[in-house]
Amino acid sequence: MIIKLWINDQEITKEIDGDAILLDFLRDHDCYSVKRGCVTSNCGLCTVIIDDKPVLSCSTLVARADKKHIYTLEGLQEEAREFGECLADQGAEQCGFCSPGLVMTVLAMVKELKNPSDNEINEYLSGNLCRCSGYMGQLRGIKDYLQKKGGAGK
Amino acid sequence: MRAVNQAVRKKDAMLLVTGQPVYTQDLAPKDCLIVKILRSPYAHALIKEINTEPATKLPGIECVLTYKDVPDQRFTLAGQTFPEPSPYDRLILDQRVRFVGDAVAIVAGENEQTVDKALKRIKVKYEVLEPLLDFRTARDHKVLIHPEANWKSLCDVGADNTRNLCASNEEKNGDVDEVLGSCEWVIEQTYHTKANQQTTMETFRSYTYRDQAGKLTCVTSTQIPFHVKRILSNALALPESEIRVVKPRIGGGFGAKQTAVTEMYPALVTQKTGKPALLVYSRRESLIASAPRHENEITVRIGADKNGIIRAIDMVTLSNTGAYGEHGPTTVGLSGHKSIPLYGKVEAFRFKYDVVYTNVMSSGAYRGYGATQGTFALESAVNELAEKMKLDPVRIREINMVKEGAVMPAYYGETLNSCALDRCMAKAKEMIGWQEKYPGIELNNGKVRSIGVAMAMQGSSIANVDTAAVFIKVNDQGHYDMKIGATDMGTGCDTILAQIAADCLNCSVEQISVSGVDTDVSPYDSGSYASSTTYLTGTAVVNTCETLVEMIRKKGADQMGCPIEDVEFDGDRVHRVSGNESITLRALANVQDQDADLSATESYCSPVSPPPFAVGMAEVEIDTETGAIDLIDYVAVLDCGTPINKSLVRVQAEGGIAQGIGMALYEDIVYSREGRNLSNSLMQYKIPTRLDVGRIRVDFASSYEPTGPFGAKSIGEVVINTPSPAIANAVYNGVHVHVRELPITAEKIYNGMKQHKNKSN
């Protein structure tokens, strides 16, 4: 089938297999920030943003993204740096393999939640696994970021 | 000190948080052959016939390899210094398969779909054999896992393949039976810890190609590049000089990647075809055919006098290494060596162990490396002793814990140069509010809230074995290039080692450029494991800097025509003490003479392995109707000597504790009766999310380790050891149930409470 979509504002029209998975499609289009940590929608590493919402690209057919705008970390470098610095100042990025998925979900979260509490932050991000940090440093980094953006975490 | 003991941002941090392509799979050439493995459906079988022709014939398939295509010399995948204590017991592919998921054939082709199709077309006839699945019956069982004649053990570890023994030993000091016989209080209990997955977010992966010099080059997600070089040499029967191993950024290690799980498969494909080849394990493969923690059953006997002084410890560990012996003989040692010495007044101890082969997935190295299992058993037993004696579990530790200056017979006879365990305990008590909260309270919602305690130790590198070398050179801008063989796997060692170098060379961290690891250009390092990097490679950095500063001073003195005694180096200039003359480092670096090259390399191998210490305290809430348990608060106070990087050391601690919480409450590898691994996805194998870990609070009570760089000891492993016993203790203090088998589930707590009720009715 032929689809048309936008990856980081770049239009792509392409013939695809009906069962093609969005994650593989994005990596094939040089979006190497998109990682696969499982195939069971558990880890959140493959998170991308479609229509302002975080979406697991490992469990999304390319066909479902037809006519949509998809954003990966490659297209949100400035925002990634801004939040990433807060994460890095805590040392909480550690191995960094879950960072792209986390950054994407946090960027979606700040658009969706106003002044989230610790609990609301943890619930919003509960689908983003991390094996290195124990999550505490991530939370500190996220709260610093929210504070910098003016919507302080409670 | 300007950089040491600061919270310095990781050198690679911004690359990682902006999602740059720096990991193995991101770097693989796009034309790599895709490699996949056909796996055994049986726990124990012999391949009678294997027909690969229908698979080979598929267009796009490059090769299908079976046991007939591999060298018939056995080796180990354990990343250990030669001669490895782990037995040489495996081939790349073997006619005998030893667990469900063991490799049967390797398929390489141009894309994933074709390779998947080819895997289905390989026809295998198996002679199914009786599997040996219960590790308690494995020793001297009639079913032998490794009957082959070319099985071999390189070290005297008590291994015997005709008895299913991967290792066996007994150590003692004093007469433990006699001392136990004279103790007022004796306790004996058996504890069971399960195999746990490290669950690195980046699964195992490697790619191989022939480089411009024709070398078989392996780019791989590993903690042990130099060992991988030897392992590939053994596996492929290829001289080490023809192999090169490169480590890019690594998506987590935790010990998993101290075993060369994937490297040999694409390497064999490249060796056979000359083409680049890539193997990426799926999460499923990483969960069924990897290198998890050894399952242990540990029986502990402890004796104490009437005042609660612990006089004797007897420990018997049975360890399940599974189908192959990776890290079997060494992990088990830590179950005793890194738990018994916590108790400084012990007059006699005995530590006995067997490590047995069975038909489940092979085990490997996981953070804590046996100490974690031993700590759960011994700390739980000490808590049970305290209960029996009606002593506060904190109090029994305060009167028995090892103190600075002690000679530790159960710890290789080493003297404890630095120990702040007492201060760790005092601080933890205060942080959690032990006096007010112990043992617990009933809430008015059907729940109880209670607290528990445990303490732990680890080592800092393997004494007299681990070796680290460092190379530093002054470049012509007057900055430094530092090459290390230690592998940063996210822990931040590239940065931590640069902080150490910066303070030794009186410069900023930014002036130290760090590169690692390429075995063709990096200096040798045994690898990042055994809590070695900061302590061991850090000391090698200090030594290298000392040599380099001497060279800089000598060259400066020569240029200024004065004796070396008359000059000092302040990080920027070499200047005369007796005059105003000076020369900048940059100018010196550009002076061309016979000493033009300002570079130094030094290595370090430590005669001791100074233990870091931890105290952990858990506060839990338990539903007395259902047994459901929530972790509310976890407090840990750590003595890792001088923390080199304040933020990284904290995150190491928080991360290790979260993994320990996973082990304590959730993680379990479950097998079917036929030996099929049922915990084969993150749906079944549940690692904690951010909603499961409660609040983790970490603080430090630092000692100063005289043999470590700037007084540092290790941090990476000790942090995982306390959660299981501390949480188990909190459960007892809340509902009087002893859970002696991990994980501590609602079901086990519920059943324990029910037994109480039945007894009291």
Side-chain angles (χ1 to χ4, degrees), chain B residues 669-710:
Chain B
I669 301 178
V670 180
Y671 288 93
S672 74
R673 225 172 289 164
E674 299 76 33
R676 200 162 61 84
N677 183 335
L678 302 173
S679 312
N680 58 13
S681 83
L682 295 184
M683 292 270 191
Q684 283 85 18
Y685 190 81
K686 300 305 288 180
I687 65 169
T689 73
R690 66 193 76 223
L691 297 174
D692 300 319
V693 293
R695 183 165 66 142
I696 302 171
R697 294 187 289 148
V698 169
D699 210 335
F700 296 88
S702 299
S703 62
Y704 188 91
E705 171 53 42
T707 67
F710 296 92

Tab-separated table of all heavy atoms in Angstrom, chain B residues 669-710:
chain	number	residue	atom	x	y	z
B	669	ILE	N	12.172	-16.130	37.639
B	669	ILE	CA	12.197	-16.875	36.380
B	669	ILE	C	11.502	-18.214	36.639
B	669	ILE	O	11.965	-19.014	37.442
B	669	ILE	CB	13.639	-17.106	35.879
B	669	ILE	CG1	14.334	-15.757	35.671
B	669	ILE	CG2	13.629	-17.912	34.578
B	669	ILE	CD1	15.775	-15.860	35.223
B	670	VAL	N	10.377	-18.403	35.986
B	670	VAL	CA	9.551	-19.579	36.252
B	670	VAL	C	9.656	-20.546	35.077
B	670	VAL	O	9.551	-20.128	33.917
B	670	VAL	CB	8.074	-19.169	36.466
B	670	VAL	CG1	7.206	-20.381	36.740
B	670	VAL	CG2	7.976	-18.154	37.606
B	671	TYR	N	9.881	-21.815	35.365
B	671	TYR	CA	9.962	-22.850	34.331
B	671	TYR	C	8.745	-23.775	34.403
B	671	TYR	O	8.224	-24.037	35.484
B	671	TYR	CB	11.226	-23.696	34.518
B	671	TYR	CG	12.495	-22.970	34.151
B	671	TYR	CD1	13.228	-22.281	35.114
B	671	TYR	CD2	12.966	-22.974	32.839
B	671	TYR	CE1	14.394	-21.604	34.774
B	671	TYR	CE2	14.131	-22.302	32.494
B	671	TYR	CZ	14.839	-21.626	33.466
B	671	TYR	OH	15.985	-20.959	33.118
B	672	SER	N	8.326	-24.271	33.251
B	672	SER	CA	7.270	-25.281	33.223
B	672	SER	C	7.877	-26.613	33.665
B	672	SER	O	9.094	-26.734	33.802
B	672	SER	CB	6.711	-25.427	31.811
B	672	SER	OG	7.643	-26.126	31.001
B	673	ARG	N	7.046	-27.605	33.835
B	673	ARG	CA	7.527	-28.907	34.278
B	673	ARG	C	8.489	-29.533	33.262
B	673	ARG	O	9.327	-30.342	33.598
B	673	ARG	CB	6.329	-29.843	34.529
B	673	ARG	CG	6.459	-30.617	35.817
B	673	ARG	CD	5.187	-31.374	36.127
B	673	ARG	NE	4.092	-30.471	36.520
B	673	ARG	CZ	2.806	-30.825	36.547
B	673	ARG	NH1	2.442	-32.036	36.185
B	673	ARG	NH2	1.882	-29.967	36.929
B	674	GLU	N	8.348	-29.117	32.005
B	674	GLU	CA	9.233	-29.646	30.963
B	674	GLU	C	10.508	-28.815	30.818
B	674	GLU	O	11.350	-29.117	29.965
B	674	GLU	CB	8.519	-29.688	29.603
B	674	GLU	CG	7.273	-30.560	29.548
B	674	GLU	CD	6.059	-29.906	30.221
B	674	GLU	OE1	5.942	-28.666	30.169
B	674	GLU	OE2	5.269	-30.643	30.841
B	675	GLY	N	10.611	-27.760	31.604
B	675	GLY	CA	11.822	-26.948	31.536
B	675	GLY	C	11.725	-25.773	30.579
B	675	GLY	O	12.732	-25.203	30.201
B	676	ARG	N	10.495	-25.425	30.188
B	676	ARG	CA	10.317	-24.269	29.317
B	676	ARG	C	10.256	-23.010	30.172
B	676	ARG	O	9.529	-22.971	31.171
B	676	ARG	CB	9.045	-24.420	28.486
B	676	ARG	CG	8.996	-23.542	27.233
B	676	ARG	CD	7.947	-24.071	26.252
B	676	ARG	NE	6.614	-24.060	26.851
B	676	ARG	CZ	5.810	-22.986	26.879
B	676	ARG	NH1	6.203	-21.856	26.340
B	676	ARG	NH2	4.623	-23.056	27.439
B	677	ASN	N	11.005	-22.002	29.773
B	677	ASN	CA	11.050	-20.749	30.523
B	677	ASN	C	9.784	-19.939	30.234
B	677	ASN	O	9.550	-19.507	29.113
B	677	ASN	CB	12.301	-19.974	30.080
B	677	ASN	CG	12.504	-18.685	30.853
B	677	ASN	OD1	11.566	-18.109	31.377
B	677	ASN	ND2	13.746	-18.255	30.913
B	678	LEU	N	8.987	-19.741	31.270
B	678	LEU	CA	7.714	-19.050	31.091
B	678	LEU	C	7.854	-17.539	31.281
B	678	LEU	O	6.954	-16.777	30.949
B	678	LEU	CB	6.677	-19.595	32.082
B	678	LEU	CG	6.410	-21.108	31.986
B	678	LEU	CD1	5.492	-21.566	33.118
B	678	LEU	CD2	5.790	-21.469	30.636
B	679	SER	N	8.978	-17.122	31.813
B	679	SER	CA	9.174	-15.685	32.088
B	679	SER	C	9.907	-15.055	30.913
B	679	SER	O	11.004	-14.528	31.058
B	679	SER	CB	9.968	-15.515	33.380
B	679	SER	OG	9.431	-16.328	34.385
B	680	ASN	N	9.274	-15.144	29.728
B	680	ASN	CA	10.002	-14.832	28.510
B	680	ASN	C	9.642	-13.497	27.861
B	680	ASN	O	9.988	-13.236	26.728
B	680	ASN	CB	9.837	-15.979	27.502
B	680	ASN	CG	8.377	-16.239	27.177
B	680	ASN	OD1	7.516	-15.420	27.517
B	680	ASN	ND2	8.093	-17.346	26.545
B	681	SER	N	8.932	-12.651	28.605
B	681	SER	CA	8.712	-11.291	28.113
B	681	SER	C	8.594	-10.373	29.320
B	681	SER	O	8.477	-10.839	30.458
B	681	SER	CB	7.440	-11.205	27.270
B	681	SER	OG	6.311	-11.047	28.119
B	682	LEU	N	8.593	-9.069	29.074
B	682	LEU	CA	8.454	-8.136	30.195
B	682	LEU	C	7.022	-8.110	30.738
B	682	LEU	O	6.749	-7.445	31.723
B	682	LEU	CB	8.914	-6.730	29.782
B	682	LEU	CG	10.407	-6.591	29.444
B	682	LEU	CD1	10.767	-5.130	29.152
B	682	LEU	CD2	11.299	-7.119	30.561
B	683	MET	N	6.124	-8.873	30.079
B	683	MET	CA	4.782	-9.085	30.639
B	683	MET	C	4.873	-10.041	31.823
B	683	MET	O	4.163	-9.894	32.814
B	683	MET	CB	3.856	-9.733	29.613
B	683	MET	CG	3.505	-8.862	28.452
B	683	MET	SD	2.043	-7.925	28.817
B	683	MET	CE	1.697	-7.285	27.203
B	684	GLN	N	5.729	-11.070	31.660
B	684	GLN	CA	5.842	-12.078	32.712
B	684	GLN	C	6.973	-11.765	33.685
B	684	GLN	O	6.838	-11.965	34.883
B	684	GLN	CB	6.103	-13.467	32.112
B	684	GLN	CG	4.890	-14.134	31.509
B	684	GLN	CD	4.671	-13.690	30.074
B	684	GLN	OE1	5.565	-13.160	29.432
B	684	GLN	NE2	3.482	-13.911	29.560
B	685	TYR	N	8.103	-11.327	33.147
B	685	TYR	CA	9.222	-11.009	34.021
B	685	TYR	C	9.104	-9.537	34.396
B	685	TYR	O	9.418	-8.649	33.601
B	685	TYR	CB	10.570	-11.298	33.338
B	685	TYR	CG	11.694	-11.205	34.338
B	685	TYR	CD1	11.969	-12.281	35.173
B	685	TYR	CD2	12.408	-10.037	34.503
B	685	TYR	CE1	12.945	-12.196	36.148
B	685	TYR	CE2	13.386	-9.939	35.476
B	685	TYR	CZ	13.656	-11.022	36.285
B	685	TYR	OH	14.620	-10.931	37.254
B	686	LYS	N	8.598	-9.280	35.584
B	686	LYS	CA	8.210	-7.919	35.946
B	686	LYS	C	9.324	-7.198	36.695
B	686	LYS	O	9.592	-7.487	37.855
B	686	LYS	CB	6.954	-7.936	36.824
B	686	LYS	CG	5.731	-8.571	36.171
B	686	LYS	CD	5.366	-7.951	34.834
B	686	LYS	CE	4.767	-6.573	34.964
B	686	LYS	NZ	4.427	-6.022	33.611
B	687	ILE	N	9.960	-6.250	36.014
B	687	ILE	CA	10.885	-5.386	36.739
B	687	ILE	C	10.090	-4.187	37.252
B	687	ILE	O	9.038	-3.852	36.697
B	687	ILE	CB	12.069	-4.932	35.845
B	687	ILE	CG1	11.608	-4.055	34.691
B	687	ILE	CG2	12.826	-6.151	35.317
B	687	ILE	CD1	12.747	-3.381	33.944
B	688	PRO	N	10.556	-3.554	38.319
B	688	PRO	CA	9.763	-2.482	38.918
B	688	PRO	C	9.595	-1.284	37.980
B	688	PRO	O	10.527	-0.894	37.271
B	688	PRO	CB	10.586	-2.055	40.139
B	688	PRO	CG	11.560	-3.133	40.383
B	688	PRO	CD	11.796	-3.817	39.071
B	689	THR	N	8.406	-0.709	37.981
B	689	THR	CA	8.174	0.581	37.328
B	689	THR	C	8.387	1.663	38.380
B	689	THR	O	8.621	1.360	39.552
B	689	THR	CB	6.734	0.715	36.805
B	689	THR	OG1	5.864	0.906	37.936
B	689	THR	CG2	6.299	-0.516	36.041
B	690	ARG	N	8.203	2.907	37.979
B	690	ARG	CA	8.408	3.975	38.961
B	690	ARG	C	7.289	4.045	39.992
B	690	ARG	O	7.409	4.766	40.965
B	690	ARG	CB	8.667	5.323	38.275
B	690	ARG	CG	7.533	5.890	37.485
B	690	ARG	CD	8.000	7.037	36.605
B	690	ARG	NE	8.730	6.540	35.435
B	690	ARG	CZ	9.857	7.079	34.971
B	690	ARG	NH1	10.393	8.109	35.559
B	690	ARG	NH2	10.445	6.569	33.908
B	691	LEU	N	6.221	3.266	39.790
B	691	LEU	CA	5.161	3.226	40.797
B	691	LEU	C	5.414	2.135	41.837
B	691	LEU	O	4.684	2.027	42.820
B	691	LEU	CB	3.804	2.975	40.128
B	691	LEU	CG	3.320	4.052	39.159
B	691	LEU	CD1	2.045	3.602	38.454
B	691	LEU	CD2	3.090	5.368	39.888
B	692	ASP	N	6.420	1.296	41.605
B	692	ASP	CA	6.630	0.126	42.463
B	692	ASP	C	7.749	0.284	43.482
B	692	ASP	O	7.928	-0.578	44.337
B	692	ASP	CB	6.975	-1.106	41.602
B	692	ASP	CG	5.882	-1.439	40.618
B	692	ASP	OD1	4.706	-1.351	41.004
B	692	ASP	OD2	6.196	-1.778	39.462
B	693	VAL	N	8.562	1.314	43.359
B	693	VAL	CA	9.772	1.369	44.191
B	693	VAL	C	9.619	2.253	45.435
B	693	VAL	O	10.561	2.376	46.223
B	693	VAL	CB	11.000	1.857	43.373
B	693	VAL	CG1	11.362	0.836	42.322
B	693	VAL	CG2	10.749	3.219	42.737
B	694	GLY	N	8.418	2.809	45.615
B	694	GLY	CA	8.243	3.670	46.781
B	694	GLY	C	9.173	4.858	46.701
B	694	GLY	O	9.446	5.393	45.627
B	695	ARG	N	9.686	5.211	47.879
B	695	ARG	CA	10.618	6.332	47.918
B	695	ARG	C	11.974	5.737	48.299
B	695	ARG	O	12.066	4.980	49.267
B	695	ARG	CB	10.135	7.314	48.992
B	695	ARG	CG	10.960	8.573	49.103
B	695	ARG	CD	10.187	9.615	49.905
B	695	ARG	NE	10.040	9.158	51.300
B	695	ARG	CZ	10.107	9.978	52.342
B	695	ARG	NH1	10.325	11.264	52.175
B	695	ARG	NH2	9.950	9.527	53.570
B	696	ILE	N	13.010	6.044	47.539
B	696	ILE	CA	14.352	5.545	47.861
B	696	ILE	C	15.181	6.735	48.315
B	696	ILE	O	15.323	7.716	47.584
B	696	ILE	CB	15.012	4.879	46.633
B	696	ILE	CG1	14.151	3.717	46.123
B	696	ILE	CG2	16.415	4.393	46.976
B	696	ILE	CD1	14.626	3.142	44.791
B	697	ARG	N	15.695	6.643	49.527
B	697	ARG	CA	16.505	7.752	50.057
B	697	ARG	C	17.905	7.253	50.389
B	697	ARG	O	18.061	6.254	51.080
B	697	ARG	CB	15.851	8.328	51.314
B	697	ARG	CG	14.514	8.998	51.013
B	697	ARG	CD	13.981	9.705	52.242
B	697	ARG	NE	13.521	8.769	53.264
B	697	ARG	CZ	13.600	9.028	54.570
B	697	ARG	NH1	14.145	10.147	54.997
B	697	ARG	NH2	13.144	8.139	55.439
B	698	VAL	N	18.888	7.929	49.848
B	698	VAL	CA	20.267	7.471	49.975
B	698	VAL	C	21.111	8.543	50.658
B	698	VAL	O	20.971	9.722	50.362
B	698	VAL	CB	20.848	7.176	48.570
B	698	VAL	CG1	22.342	6.948	48.628
B	698	VAL	CG2	20.146	5.966	47.952
B	699	ASP	N	21.958	8.105	51.572
B	699	ASP	CA	22.949	9.031	52.122
B	699	ASP	C	24.282	8.290	52.282
B	699	ASP	O	24.334	7.070	52.096
B	699	ASP	CB	22.483	9.611	53.462
B	699	ASP	CG	23.047	11.013	53.668
B	699	ASP	OD1	24.117	11.338	53.077
B	699	ASP	OD2	22.441	11.788	54.434
B	700	PHE	N	25.310	9.028	52.605
B	700	PHE	CA	26.646	8.439	52.666
B	700	PHE	C	27.292	8.718	54.025
B	700	PHE	O	27.099	9.769	54.610
B	700	PHE	CB	27.523	9.007	51.540
B	700	PHE	CG	26.997	8.628	50.188
B	700	PHE	CD1	26.046	9.415	49.542
B	700	PHE	CD2	27.393	7.439	49.580
B	700	PHE	CE1	25.522	9.044	48.318
B	700	PHE	CE2	26.865	7.068	48.355
B	700	PHE	CZ	25.930	7.870	47.724
B	701	ALA	N	28.017	7.733	54.512
B	701	ALA	CA	28.867	7.902	55.686
B	701	ALA	C	30.247	7.442	55.223
B	701	ALA	O	30.527	6.255	55.178
B	701	ALA	CB	28.358	7.045	56.841
B	702	SER	N	31.037	8.394	54.830
B	702	SER	CA	32.258	8.029	54.107
B	702	SER	C	33.423	7.721	55.030
B	702	SER	O	33.693	8.446	55.982
B	702	SER	CB	32.664	9.165	53.173
B	702	SER	OG	31.630	9.384	52.245
B	703	SER	N	34.116	6.656	54.705
B	703	SER	CA	35.421	6.399	55.314
B	703	SER	C	36.467	6.837	54.287
B	703	SER	O	36.127	7.325	53.207
B	703	SER	CB	35.569	4.915	55.628
B	703	SER	OG	35.497	4.165	54.434
B	704	TYR	N	37.745	6.653	54.613
B	704	TYR	CA	38.805	6.971	53.663
B	704	TYR	C	39.635	5.715	53.467
B	704	TYR	O	40.252	5.218	54.393
B	704	TYR	CB	39.679	8.111	54.191
B	704	TYR	CG	40.681	8.602	53.159
B	704	TYR	CD1	40.354	9.644	52.285
B	704	TYR	CD2	41.929	7.983	53.038
B	704	TYR	CE1	41.255	10.067	51.325
B	704	TYR	CE2	42.837	8.399	52.069
B	704	TYR	CZ	42.494	9.438	51.217
B	704	TYR	OH	43.379	9.849	50.254
B	705	GLU	N	39.601	5.191	52.252
B	705	GLU	CA	40.335	3.967	51.969
B	705	GLU	C	41.758	4.323	51.507
B	705	GLU	O	41.931	4.894	50.423
B	705	GLU	CB	39.605	3.158	50.877
B	705	GLU	CG	40.377	1.968	50.349
B	705	GLU	CD	40.871	1.010	51.425
B	705	GLU	OE1	40.110	0.725	52.361
B	705	GLU	OE2	42.036	0.567	51.342
B	706	PRO	N	42.758	3.982	52.316
B	706	PRO	CA	44.120	4.435	51.981
B	706	PRO	C	44.663	3.855	50.674
B	706	PRO	O	45.530	4.477	50.056
B	706	PRO	CB	44.955	3.957	53.182
B	706	PRO	CG	44.126	2.949	53.887
B	706	PRO	CD	42.703	3.280	53.605
B	707	THR	N	44.156	2.705	50.233
B	707	THR	CA	44.692	2.112	49.004
B	707	THR	C	43.932	2.576	47.762
B	707	THR	O	44.304	2.215	46.644
B	707	THR	CB	44.632	0.570	49.054
B	707	THR	OG1	43.258	0.167	49.047
B	707	THR	CG2	45.323	0.028	50.298
B	708	GLY	N	42.867	3.359	47.939
B	708	GLY	CA	42.039	3.740	46.784
B	708	GLY	C	42.378	5.127	46.271
B	708	GLY	O	42.996	5.922	46.985
B	709	PRO	N	41.980	5.462	45.046
B	709	PRO	CA	42.257	6.788	44.505
B	709	PRO	C	41.461	7.849	45.273
B	709	PRO	O	40.238	7.744	45.359
B	709	PRO	CB	41.790	6.687	43.045
B	709	PRO	CG	40.781	5.581	43.044
B	709	PRO	CD	41.187	4.628	44.127
B	710	PHE	N	42.130	8.803	45.871
B	710	PHE	CA	41.497	9.845	46.685
B	710	PHE	C	40.637	9.252	47.803
B	710	PHE	O	39.674	9.859	48.233
B	710	PHE	CB	40.679	10.800	45.811
B	710	PHE	CG	41.509	11.580	44.827
B	710	PHE	CD1	41.714	11.107	43.536
B	710	PHE	CD2	42.116	12.774	45.205
B	710	PHE	CE1	42.497	11.811	42.638
B	710	PHE	CE2	42.903	13.478	44.305
B	710	PHE	CZ	43.103	13.008	43.027
